[in-house]
Amino acid sequence: MPRSVSGQIAMIVVVSVIIVVVVGRVGDMIRHSPLLGLNSFDTFYEQAAAIAPLMRQVAQDRQDDLASAFAGTGLDLRVVDPVEAERLAGTATAPSALRRIINWIFPPDDEPDGSRVFDTREGAMLLIPLNEASTLVAYGPPQPLVSNDVLGPLSYYVLAFATLLILFGLYSRWAFLAPLARISDEVKRSNGTEDERLVSEHGPPEVVALTDALNQMRGRVRDLLETRARMLRGVSHDLRTPLTRLRQRIERLDDEPVQQKMLSDVDQIDRLIEETLDYLRMDATGEELERVDVASLLQTIAADFADLGSAIRYEGPDHLAAMLKPNSMLRAVTNLCGNGLKFGTEVSIILSRNESSVRIDVVDDGPGIPANLRDRVLEPFFKADLSRSDGDRNQGFGLGLSIVAEIVAAHRGRLTLLDNEPSGLVARVEFPR
Amino acid sequence: MSSDLPASPRILIVEDDPEIGPMLRDALAAGGMTAELATDGRDMDERLRGSAFDLVVLDVMLPGEDGLSLCRRLRAGSNVPILMLTALAEEIDRIIGIEIGADDYITKPFSTREVLARIRGLLRRASYSKVGTERVRPLRFDGWRIDPLRRQLHDPQHTRISLTAAEFDLLLAFCRNPGKILTREELLTLTHAGLAGPVERSIDVHVSRLRQKIEADPREPTLLKTVRLGGYMFAANVEPA
Ligand SMILES: Nc1ncnc2c1ncn2[C@@H]1O[C@H](COP(=O)(O)OP(=O)(O)OP(=O)(O)O)[C@@H](O)[C@H]1O
């Protein structure tokens, strides 16, 4: 079995030729067998066509005798004048529609001696002009629908065509379509950063090469993400050291109001670093999935918020085990709850599940997010309420929801923003169990 | 509470930044501690040889041998509480994990007040629990597994149960004192749960939350029993995991 596509195609062509020759020969044998009845007309035609030239050698008045001499051999011959010949031609039955179609697709060869075949009620009638004064009329067995000279080449055409078609169809399925479908499945399923490679164990080298190329690209994407994250880590580290000094110096100031303002600036810078890092971290280095009791996770979040003085209600089962990345998921739901409290007053976390997935709804009673902005608020650094000026220290950076979306994607899940009734936002996190 | 602490705890700060180190030292001194400063690993080793310290504050990024490796080395040979300073939140899991073995961490930029609070907390913890590897060994009760280092709890089906910091400290305190009646006051000091946030929670609130998570039927507790007039008692059999 050749390994390259061109080799395999060449092999298929060779195999097809062998099949065509063998099957074609078998077909010929069947066609020539007397059972099919194709032969009797052919024999009759050949005999009549062979006699005609002999007849032309014979004197005009002896032609009749010669014709009648064949009587009893199965060849019914007569010699008539051209006028009578045309009359006989007129009495022939009109060719059937089917015959006309076949004749149109495969035009009968023009006979050099001008012979014509007609169908009559008894069988076939052959008119072969001998000279200006006489025409040979031969009656024989009925003409078959398709003649051997059509059937022969035709069957080879069809056979070759069908063989190639079927073999190439099967081959391309096996060699290209199936592996390609598998690869595209894999690519769709993967989030581009996991270490597992695309499978490529079978298929021609060209397909294997494609998987390798995709694997390499995936590696480059991962490297890129890692470099980016590493760079950001470096920057954040180098930013935080002077920030620490700044903070310590500020703490030594005597002017309390100034001190407070400066400290909150430091906090804001620090939060920006933290959130940016968080956003970038989600894709590159990952926490492992583990079996976690989601209910306890959400209860913990609710309790932590409660201890900070904001009531958040948890509704759902007491226990529900699912595969997730606990720290990331904690972070995501905490972000959603924080947003809910920022824009609304009452927030609940509702946990439910079906056979295949877990759903966490974080519901608030704030203004909600207009439908046309719902896609955009998931973009990093997008803030919907631009009315609030930059001077507002409580304003976020527009990273919160982007971080949530990244985390949910890392769980192969989905984050949807919906309307709450009568007002407010439902942030829905769904991921497979 | 401060009576449990050494009169003037000796703290070793390992920090190479020429400003952060001295400022931190001054702040600790102002907080009633005796602080010394080392600027790298070699300096640290020398000072540790010279005298005993009650706690080490260790920066992660240091010239030469880095803080993580110093911490690992320190942990191998001694039980001194270690507080790590890090600029990266994502290192935290490793820092307090088995691999590095620090007792607590604080992220830069930190406030002096926060550092002081963490140091006091660590010193208090050290004075309460028998310091040693025993202190960090995972424990098992009734099929459950609690890992003090990673601060993780797993149920008998190996599902991780998430706890708040106070709930975890509380459960750990119970696991270290099985079959003993613990009063609310004792539990409060063991867990510093009262300091958790701006909202003061009674021990009872934390206990009832904990029951929600670990009892089959929180209304009929079998593990965490209420002792009338006394406090609470952990009724499970606890053994090293
Ligand atoms: N629960 C909500 N109700 C109404 N609007 C919301 C809600 N959550 C988010 N938004 C809108 O979406 C925008 C983006 O939110 P996102 O959480 O990404 O960032 P942020 O809140 O500005 O700050 P941070 O980065 O600190 O979380 C916000 O500016 C806000 O307008």
Side-chain angles (χ1 to χ4, degrees):
Chain A
M1 180 85 173
R3 304 250 320 123
S4 76
V5 169
S6 44
Q8 289 171 350
I9 288 179
M11 196 188 71
I12 287 177
V13 171
V14 171
V15 170
S16 316
V17 167
I18 294 172
I19 293 179
V20 168
V21 168
V22 171
V23 176
R25 281 306 302 152
V26 173
D28 274 350
M29 278 150 68
I30 294 172
R31 236 181 20 252
H32 287 294
S33 82
L35 294 174
L36 238 57
L38 292 182
N39 296 326
S40 46
F41 175 78
D42 278 358
T43 321
F44 153 72
Y45 185 92
E46 275 159 26
Q47 286 172 348
I51 290 166
L54 293 175
M55 296 273 250
R56 289 197 191 102
Q57 314 285 320
V58 180
Q60 183 86 23
D61 51 339
R62 302 299 306 271
Q63 283 174 349
D64 261 338
D65 298 342
L66 187 54
S68 46
F70 281 99
T73 65
L75 260 184
D76 184 2
L77 298 180
R78 255 195 309 146
V79 178
V80 297
D81 59 65
V83 182
E84 172 66 2
E86 286 317 307
R87 194 194 63 78
L88 285 172
T91 64
T93 50
S96 66
L98 191 56
R99 152 99 5 105
R100 276 205 302 269
I101 291 171
I102 290 174
N103 283 350
W104 181 77
I105 299 174
F106 307 101
D109 301 338
D110 279 336
E111 296 298 333
D113 59 2
S115 66
R116 293 176 290 169
V117 183
F118 295 93
D119 291 328
T120 66
R121 221 161 275 117
E122 289 81 37
M125 176 178 72
L126 192 58
L127 297 184
I128 308 176
L130 295 179
N131 50 38
E132 302 79 52
S134 57
T135 298
L136 178 67
V137 183
Y139 295 97
Q143 191 185 187
L145 212 49
V146 278
S147 75
N148 249 334
D149 11 330
V150 171
L151 212 52
L154 176 66
S155 59
Y156 275 96
Y157 288 150
V158 171
L159 188 64
F161 193 68
T163 312
L164 278 176
L165 212 65
I166 290 169
L167 284 188
F168 270 108
L170 290 176
Y171 170 72
S172 63
R173 242 198 90 69
W174 171 82
F176 302 106
L177 302 184
L180 286 182
R182 208 184 50 229
I183 290 169
S184 74
D185 267 1
E186 289 274 333
V187 172
K188 250 184 262 159
R189 212 148 43 76
S190 102
N191 56 14
T193 54
E194 279 154 17
D195 271 316
E196 103 235 358
R197 293 169 58 85
L198 301 173
V199 287
S200 59
E201 73 293 342
H202 99 95
E206 285 81 353
V207 167
V208 175
L210 173 66
T211 7
D212 282 350
L214 282 173
N215 277 330
Q216 269 171 32
M217 189 177 79
R218 196 202 307 227
R220 279 200 300 278
V221 169
R222 195 166 43 233
D223 287 351
L224 215 68
L225 289 175
E226 271 167 18
T227 313
R228 188 180 67 169
R230 199 159 349 110
M231 194 191 77
L232 242 120
R233 280 202 292 275
V235 170
S236 82
H237 182 271
D238 291 351
L239 266 175
R240 274 173 169 163
T241 303
L243 213 53
T244 311
R245 281 187 221 133
L246 190 60
R247 176 157 200 149
Q248 283 181 310
R249 269 189 228 127
I250 295 168
E251 282 179 350
R252 297 178 164 198
L253 286 181
D254 283 331
D255 189 340
E256 176 95 17
V258 175
Q259 195 184 33
Q260 282 315 313
K261 281 192 194 132
M262 290 171 89
L263 281 179
S264 88
D265 282 342
V266 169
D267 280 343
Q268 199 179 352
I269 298 173
D270 185 42
R271 266 206 349 261
L272 175 58
I273 298 172
E274 185 63 38
E275 288 197 12
T276 312
L277 268 182
D278 264 336
Y279 174 64
L280 290 170
R281 187 164 48 225
M282 287 317 144
D283 38 84
T285 69
E287 213 187 335
E288 298 284 316
L289 285 173
E290 50 181 304
R291 231 174 97 89
V292 178
D293 180 10
V294 202
S296 75
L297 189 87
L298 301 180
Q299 284 168 338
T300 300
I301 294 170
D304 278 336
F305 271 104
D307 290 350
L308 288 171
S310 2
I312 286 196
R313 216 150 39 98
Y314 166 75
E315 285 171 36
D318 283 343
H319 296 281
L320 171 53
M323 293 302 289
L324 53 84
K325 307 181 176 187
N327 290 333
S328 309
M329 191 50 80
L330 185 98
R331 175 78 209 248
V333 179
T334 305
N335 271 2
L336 292 176
C337 292
N339 275 350
L341 288 172
K342 195 154 75 179
F343 296 97
T345 51
E346 271 184 32
V347 176
S348 355
I349 310 173
I350 302 166
L351 174 65
S352 58
R353 61 149 230 224
N354 59 29
E355 314 79 56
S356 59
S357 64
V358 175
R359 174 188 288 178
I360 303 170
D361 282 348
V362 177
V363 185
D364 69 50
D365 58 352
I369 300 178
N372 58 337
L373 288 180
R374 282 181 198 158
D375 284 338
R376 304 208 44 206
V377 292
L378 299 183
E379 292 168 12
F381 296 109
F382 179 84
K383 289 166 244 178
D385 41 351
L386 298 163
S387 54
R388 284 200 296 173
S389 71
D390 282 355
D392 188 340
R393 285 198 160 78
N394 283 327
Q395 190 175 0
F397 309 106
L399 277 170
L401 285 177
S402 331
I403 293 173
V404 177
E406 287 285 325
I407 293 173
V408 176
H411 285 81
R412 301 192 199 287
R414 219 163 39 133
L415 170 66
T416 345
L417 302 175
L418 305 163
D419 278 325
N420 185 28
E421 289 301 324
S423 82
L425 185 75
V426 179
R428 172 166 295 173
V429 173
E430 284 168 302
F431 58 93
R433 295 179 70 190
Chain B
M1 249 191 300
S2 53
S3 61
D4 310 319
L5 304 179
S8 173
R10 293 175 52 80
I11 314 290
L12 178 59
I13 303 165
V14 191
E15 162 67 81
D16 65 314
D17 189 275
E19 278 196 52
I20 298 176
M23 281 196 284
L24 191 56
R25 183 186 55 199
D26 295 351
L28 296 194
M33 304 174 182
T34 315
E36 274 189 43
L37 183 62
T39 51
D40 60 17
R42 205 163 328 129
D43 198 358
M44 178 190 88
D45 290 338
E46 238 156 70
R47 282 173 199 274
L48 280 175
R49 256 197 303 278
S51 52
F53 287 90
D54 296 306
L55 186 143
V56 178
V57 178
L58 192 52
D59 187 25
V60 170
M61 283 284 248
L62 287 172
E65 191 176 356
D66 77 4
L68 297 179
S69 137
L70 285 178
C71 180
R72 214 179 293 131
R73 195 150 60 72
L74 214 56
R75 183 47 78 234
S78 117
N79 295 319
V80 64
I82 303 172
L83 174 67
M84 298 287 290
L85 301 179
T86 170
L88 285 177
E90 61 190 285
E91 284 171 345
I92 290 166
D93 277 351
R94 281 181 66 213
I95 288 175
I96 57 173
I98 303 251
E99 190 196 347
I100 307 293
D103 297 272
D104 205 352
Y105 64 90
I106 195 158
T107 48
K108 290 179 175 182
F110 46 78
S111 74
T112 312
R113 196 154 48 95
E114 208 182 342
V115 180
L116 283 172
R118 295 299 180 95
I119 290 179
R120 293 208 177 99
L122 276 183
L123 290 172
R124 197 163 41 228
R125 255 207 285 179
S127 72
Y128 263 100
S129 45
K130 281 175 265 135
V131 180
T133 45
E134 220 175 279
R135 196 170 50 91
V136 294
R137 209 156 324 122
L139 300 170
R140 193 176 283 285
F141 63 91
D142 205 29
W144 294 68
R145 188 189 143 97
I146 182 168
D147 182 341
L149 249 189
R150 295 175 193 276
R151 295 186 70 81
Q152 291 180 357
L153 173 70
H154 285 91
D155 76 3
Q157 285 79 44
H158 307 292
T159 305
R160 178 147 152 207
I161 306 290
S162 165
L163 298 175
T164 65
E167 288 161 12
F168 190 89
D169 288 341
L170 197 60
L171 181 60
L172 197 57
F174 280 121
C175 286
R176 290 194 173 134
N177 301 284
K180 223 156 72 182
I181 298 173
L182 295 173
T183 65
R184 292 181 174 77
E185 290 70 40
E186 279 171 321
L187 286 169
L188 211 56
T189 37
L190 275 174
T191 61
H192 43 94
L195 311 170
V199 181
E200 290 239 346
R201 294 285 177 193
S202 67
I203 282 294
D204 299 319
V205 171
H206 292 297
V207 168
S208 88
R209 285 179 183 165
L210 192 53
R211 279 178 175 157
Q212 283 284 339
K213 291 177 181 174
I214 65 168
E215 296 280 5
D217 179 0
R219 273 157 305 171
E220 296 278 331
T222 55
L223 294 170
L224 262 177
K225 296 224 157 114
T226 309
V227 181
R228 252 199 326 141
L229 302 178
Y232 294 98
M233 190 187 81
F234 197 53
N237 194 13
V238 181
E239 49 194 29

